[in-house]
Amino acid sequence: MGKKKEGDKSPRNFENNRFNRSESYGDDEPNFSDEENFEDTITDEELLAEFLIHRPREEDSYEGIIVVDGAPQVGPERLEKLKGVIKKMYGKFGTIINEFYPTDEKNVTKGFIFLEYKNPSDAVDAVNATNNYKLDKQHTFLVNHYSDFEKYSNIPDEWTVPEPQEYKDQGNLHYYLLDPDAYDQYCLICSGGSTVQIWQNAAPEPTVVEERPNWTETYVRWSPLGTYMATFHARGVALWGGPKFKQIMRFSHTGVQLIDFSPCERYLVTYSPDGPSDQRRVIIWDVRTGAEKRSFSLDGVSLWPVFRWSPDDKFFARIGQDVLSVYETPSFGLLDKRSIKIPGIRDFAWSPTDNILVYWVAEDKDVPARVCLLEIPSRQEVRANNLFNVADCKIHWQKSGDYLCVKVDRYSKVKKEKNDAKYSVSFCGMYYNFEIFHMREKLIPVDSVEIKEPIHAFAWEPVGSKFAIIHGDQHSINVSFYGVKQGQPPSLLKKFEKRQCNHLFWSPTGQFIVLAGLRSMHGSLEFIDTNEFVVMNAGEHYTASDVEWDPTGRYVVTGVSSWKQKVDNGFWLWSFQGKKLKKHNIDGFCQLMWRPRPPSLLSAKQQKEIKKNLKKYTPQFESKDRMRSTRASKELIEKRCQLMKTFEEYRQKNIQAWNEAKTRRLELRNSKFLFCWKK
């Protein structure tokens, strides 16, 4: 076929003949072959750089592999026994999909083992928990990730000085403590959760410190010492602080719902139930650096917080199946590389002042229930107490750590049937004991208080040695106060009969308490001075759902949250004596939280001296209050004068306009009358 003319090469012709290139191009078909002795100078990295960065690496498949060194060297006859020990020990961290025991020419193991987990996170837990684990006197495991060998072998021989990072001044995070009038702050969530406000409880009227829309997606929380305010977002948690509430740190954890600070604010625990089942649900963060310290995969959280911290942040612990796992910081590994086996453990709590934890073990057939005090890190049992016919226990530490109360629910009726004991679970078949441990006395003596009636609430006095109990049936609720003294059993100080209350709220400074009947009891309130056991005042905040004391113990806030009820939302401010100071009815009011204050730097002796000489300072405070009141009155008078002046100016202006329009008004009236007369 002859060569086509240039004019015949229309798009249509090209489309019809694009698969017949020889016919289309004829003898002029281009040659794409390389010339002889051609050298390609373009590397694959230059040509395919954007694709090569996604090329799988050999070490990517090693994330789930660990190497256990220091294992016993055994022959074929003992190999199965060794495998059984290894599977039992390492199988509890996750599913092992592959294992390899290298042997020499005599089929004797070489002392190291390769284990591959299905999930890389399980390999991380296995390394952290079993490294330096002592199997016996002659064998100690040294456990590493397989990928660590290449990482450490590629360390350069010459050390280079890292570049210093720019210092970012976060401001004074404790500025609010320097207020000359010691005003406290509180956080307010309103408008159905869309607005967050920070207020200063100034006199005579509170002032807004900061207000931002959509600052949080759910709720907010102060850190234990009041340094940070945490907000919740879809991608994680953010911490704010300083005079302008700038963002201090953020922690990326998608779908986080719950958080918990360590007592000294060094660490933050976040929990997210959303996401894949193999995702890390609980993560512990370093608050100052934002670094992730350790993560845990939990199927579900039935009780929050999962981890409970020692008062100095050095240890944290959680309950497992018949075990108590205590971890240490900053390594975040198991204490002594092993958990504490405690069959039947149900609950535990740390002392608020000492590295001592208390746990209780349920009854098992003929073995009684036990309450044990354990000193950490020595794991020495300091005190134990056996209990019989136990249904449940609740642990209550006094804030100063001087006393511990264990509320014991006991069965009073026991029936023996064959080899089993059956208990009555009705209220008539139950009675209650309060086991009081005197922590500061020799050998830690224990006293018992028995109450036959149902218990509704218990609370220690924060500063002092009294505790209060709400007890009785629904038609006759009583409140009893007990005092505890060194070397003496608890004594009944006062009993208030037939009270409408279901919650106890002690003042942070002790002595004063609010008996509150929330929700079902329609918000009844009683303010009591426990020094003389005098009811200072009684009031009611209808359908109140929350009660909050300020850190100084001078004010009480009662609120009706829109999260619990959609009408009558707002909060009321009361004095500690029960005097109603302010009513704030706010549509969409959700939450009010006082900003905590850190413990005083003054010693107990210095605080006692100040209280003793308080009358010397009273005239100064009263004078300042009068000046503030006078200043407020003066400002109010000036404001009213300015409003009156503005009104008079407006009035004179309108009178002048009225007078100027008088002639025109008369003209209009005369014209109208004239028109009507002529008609």
Side-chain angles (χ1 to χ4, degrees):
M1 183 178 290
K3 182 178 178 181
K4 289 182 179 292
K5 296 182 180 180
E6 190 72 24
D8 295 336
K9 294 182 181 180
S10 63
R12 182 176 180 181
N13 291 335
F14 179 76
E15 182 67 19
N16 293 334
N17 299 313
R18 59 179 178 148
F19 296 110
N20 192 356
R21 295 185 181 273
S22 60
E23 181 180 355
S24 178
Y25 289 106
D27 298 335
D28 295 338
E29 182 179 357
N31 184 11
F32 294 100
S33 302
D34 295 332
E35 299 178 358
E36 294 184 4
N37 301 325
F38 174 79
E39 294 183 3
D40 190 358
T41 59
I42 302 177
T43 62
D44 292 342
E45 286 73 13
E46 294 176 341
L47 187 63
L48 304 172
E50 58 183 358
F51 299 100
L52 291 179
I53 59 175
H54 301 293
R55 179 174 55 185
R57 295 175 299 175
E58 187 178 2
E59 59 270 18
D60 289 344
S61 61
Y62 298 151
E63 294 180 358
I65 301 178
I66 66 173
V67 182
V68 182
D69 197 3
Q73 298 181 1
V74 299
E77 68 281 358
R78 298 179 58 192
L79 180 59
E80 292 301 322
K81 184 177 181 181
L82 176 62
K83 288 184 177 180
V85 173
I86 296 299
K87 286 182 179 179
K88 182 178 179 181
M89 181 175 179
Y90 285 90
K92 62 184 179 182
F93 298 103
T95 303
I96 299 176
I97 60 176
N98 204 353
E99 59 181 355
F100 178 60
Y101 293 76
T103 58
D104 57 15
E105 61 278 0
K106 296 181 181 180
N107 289 332
V108 177
T109 59
K110 294 184 177 182
F112 56 91
I113 305 166
F114 297 90
L115 301 175
E116 183 177 1
Y117 284 92
K118 183 178 180 180
N119 295 324
S121 60
D122 297 335
V124 175
D125 294 339
V127 171
N128 294 333
T130 62
N131 188 32
N132 291 324
Y133 175 79
K134 193 172 184 180
L135 182 65
D136 52 38
K137 294 182 179 180
Q138 299 178 351
H139 300 91
T140 300
F141 288 164
L142 300 176
V143 189
N144 294 280
H145 294 278
Y146 185 82
S147 57
D148 289 345
F149 289 91
E150 182 176 356
K151 181 176 68 174
Y152 294 130
S153 63
N154 293 332
I155 297 177
D157 296 333
E158 296 183 1
W159 179 74
T160 56
V161 180
E163 297 182 1
Q165 297 183 358
E166 183 181 357
Y167 172 73
K168 295 181 180 179
D169 185 11
Q170 297 179 347
N172 184 4
L173 299 180
H174 300 94
Y175 78 98
Y176 62 99
L177 299 175
L178 303 178
D179 186 88
D181 295 313
Y183 288 138
D184 285 298
Q185 295 182 354
Y186 58 86
C187 175
L188 188 67
I189 300 181
C190 54
S191 302
S194 62
T195 302
V196 178
Q197 301 171 341
I198 308 296
W199 289 77
Q200 188 174 42
N201 192 33
E205 293 292 336
T207 57
V208 178
V209 177
E210 193 73 25
E211 180 178 1
R212 298 179 191 175
N214 303 318
W215 201 348
T216 183
E217 296 182 13
T218 53
Y219 62 100
V220 302
R221 181 172 174 182
W222 294 105
S223 59
L225 304 181
T227 308
Y228 310 101
M229 186 186 74
T231 58
F232 292 76
H233 309 274
R235 296 186 178 181
V237 177
L239 298 187
W240 311 79
K244 299 297 183 181
F245 282 90
K246 296 180 179 179
Q247 187 179 105
I248 305 300
M249 191 61 63
R250 59 182 179 180
F251 308 93
S252 179
H253 194 181
T254 304
V256 62
Q257 291 187 2
L258 300 171
I259 66 170
D260 182 51
F261 285 91
S262 62
C264 299
E265 300 182 342
R266 295 192 184 101
Y267 306 106
L268 174 69
V269 185
T270 60
Y271 166 70
S272 173
D274 301 330
S277 59
D278 58 346
Q279 185 178 348
R280 295 168 294 180
R281 302 290 177 86
V282 177
I283 301 179
I284 302 179
W285 309 84
D286 188 299
V287 170
R288 294 183 180 178
T289 63
E292 179 182 330
K293 306 304 291 185
R294 186 169 178 182
S295 60
F296 297 84
S297 298
L298 301 178
D299 295 334
V301 175
S302 58
L303 184 64
W304 185 260
V306 176
F307 297 104
R308 303 176 193 178
W309 294 83
S310 64
D312 57 4
D313 285 7
K314 290 184 178 180
F315 306 98
F316 62 98
R318 67 164 173 165
I319 287 182
Q321 184 66 34
D322 294 334
V323 296
L324 179 64
S325 301
V326 181
Y327 302 84
E328 56 184 344
T329 59
S331 66
F332 288 85
L334 275 171
L335 180 65
D336 297 335
K337 307 300 179 183
R338 58 189 175 89
S339 298
I340 306 172
K341 293 184 179 180
I342 308 175
I345 184 172
R346 294 294 180 85
D347 196 11
F348 80 101
W350 288 93
S351 165
T353 55
D354 306 295
N355 285 340
I356 295 177
L357 57 82
V358 58
Y359 66 87
W360 78 277
V361 178
E363 224 172 333
D364 184 16
K365 296 181 180 179
D366 295 332
V367 180
R370 296 178 76 237
V371 175
C372 298
L373 291 166
L374 202 65
E375 198 275 333
I376 300 296
S378 67
R379 304 192 183 199
Q380 180 181 356
E381 192 175 280
V382 180
R383 183 72 162 84
N385 195 25
N386 293 335
L387 304 169
F388 296 91
N389 304 335
V390 175
D392 193 16
C393 288
K394 298 295 181 185
I395 300 171
H396 303 276
W397 279 99
Q398 187 211 27
K399 187 176 180 180
S400 61
D402 296 337
Y403 301 99
L404 164 67
C405 175
V406 179
K407 172 183 169 286
V408 185
D409 300 355
R410 285 180 164 173
Y411 301 106
S412 59
K413 296 181 180 180
V414 183
K415 294 181 180 180
K416 291 286 185 178
E417 294 185 3
K418 295 181 180 180
N419 296 328
D420 296 332
K422 292 189 176 181
Y423 303 97
S424 173
V425 296
S426 64
F427 278 135
C428 297
M430 299 283 292
Y431 70 100
Y432 307 88
N433 275 78
F434 293 93
E435 304 291 328
I436 309 296
F437 292 73
H438 297 249
M439 298 300 299
R440 306 304 181 193
E441 298 181 32
K442 189 176 182 180
L443 300 180
I444 311 180
V446 181
D447 293 317
S448 183
V449 176
E450 182 177 316
I451 295 181
K452 298 291 186 180
E453 300 173 323
I455 306 298
H456 303 285
F458 173 94
W460 279 104
E461 183 182 19
V463 180
S465 57
K466 294 191 288 287
F467 62 86
I469 306 169
I470 299 178
H471 57 94
D473 55 35
Q474 295 295 332
H475 303 289
S476 179
I477 294 179
N478 307 315
V479 181
S480 296
F481 292 88
Y482 287 82
V484 184
K485 294 184 179 180
Q486 188 172 0
Q488 299 179 13
S491 59
L492 179 63
L493 302 177
K494 182 68 176 179
K495 182 178 180 180
F496 293 92
E497 297 182 349
K498 296 184 178 180
R499 269 6 194 209
Q500 288 292 320
C501 62
N502 52 17
H503 289 79
L504 299 166
F505 297 97
W506 281 98
S507 166
T509 57
Q511 183 178 346
F512 305 104
I513 189 172
V514 176
L515 310 182
L518 302 182
R519 301 182 186 177
S520 61
M521 293 189 177
H522 309 298
S524 61
L525 304 168
E526 277 191 285
F527 298 80
I528 296 177
D529 182 353
T530 61
N531 276 0
E532 302 295 335
F533 291 100
V534 177
V535 179
M536 299 180 292
N537 207 342
E540 183 184 40
H541 187 176
Y542 186 69
T543 65
S545 58
D546 303 286
V547 176
E548 290 276 350
W549 280 91
D550 81 312
T552 63
R554 291 179 292 179
Y555 302 101
V556 181
V557 166
T558 59
V560 180
S561 173
S562 63
W563 290 337
K564 300 171 184 176
Q565 184 170 311
K566 299 301 180 183
V567 295
D568 299 330
N569 301 135
F571 68 93
W572 296 1
L573 184 68
W574 309 71
S575 71
F576 71 95
Q577 296 170 324
K579 181 181 178 181
K580 193 185 302 179
L581 303 177
K582 292 285 184 180
K583 285 185 179 181
H584 298 274
N585 297 323
I586 303 174
D587 291 335
F589 166 77
C590 298
Q591 182 186 26
L592 186 146
M593 294 184 66
W594 290 96
R595 187 170 195 170
R597 284 180 173 266
S600 174
L601 299 177
L602 300 176
S603 64
K605 183 179 179 181
Q606 290 173 321
Q607 294 183 38
K608 187 176 180 180
E609 189 69 20
I610 292 174
K611 291 180 181 179
K612 182 179 178 181
N613 300 322
L614 190 60
K615 292 182 179 179
K616 296 181 180 179
Y617 308 107
T618 301
Q620 301 178 20
F621 298 140
E622 290 179 348
S623 175
K624 183 177 289 188
D625 289 341
R626 283 195 299 269
M627 292 177 61
R628 189 181 294 113
S629 178
T630 303
R631 189 186 312 117
S633 300
K634 183 179 179 181
E635 292 175 356
L636 182 61
I637 292 172
E638 291 178 353
K639 184 178 180 181
R640 288 178 177 176
C641 291
Q642 182 63 34
L643 291 174
M644 182 59 72
K645 182 180 179 181
T646 304
F647 172 74
E648 287 294 336
E649 292 177 354
Y650 177 76
R651 183 171 180 270
Q652 292 299 328
K653 181 180 178 182
N654 283 275
I655 289 174
Q656 183 179 357
W658 172 267
N659 293 331
E660 291 176 354
K662 183 177 181 180
T663 305
R664 180 58 178 164
R665 288 198 307 274
L666 293 175
E667 292 177 355
L668 292 173
R669 288 177 181 176
N670 293 335
S671 299
K672 182 178 180 182
F673 293 151
L674 182 62
F675 174 77
C676 294
W677 180 78
K678 287 183 178 180
K679 187 176 179 180

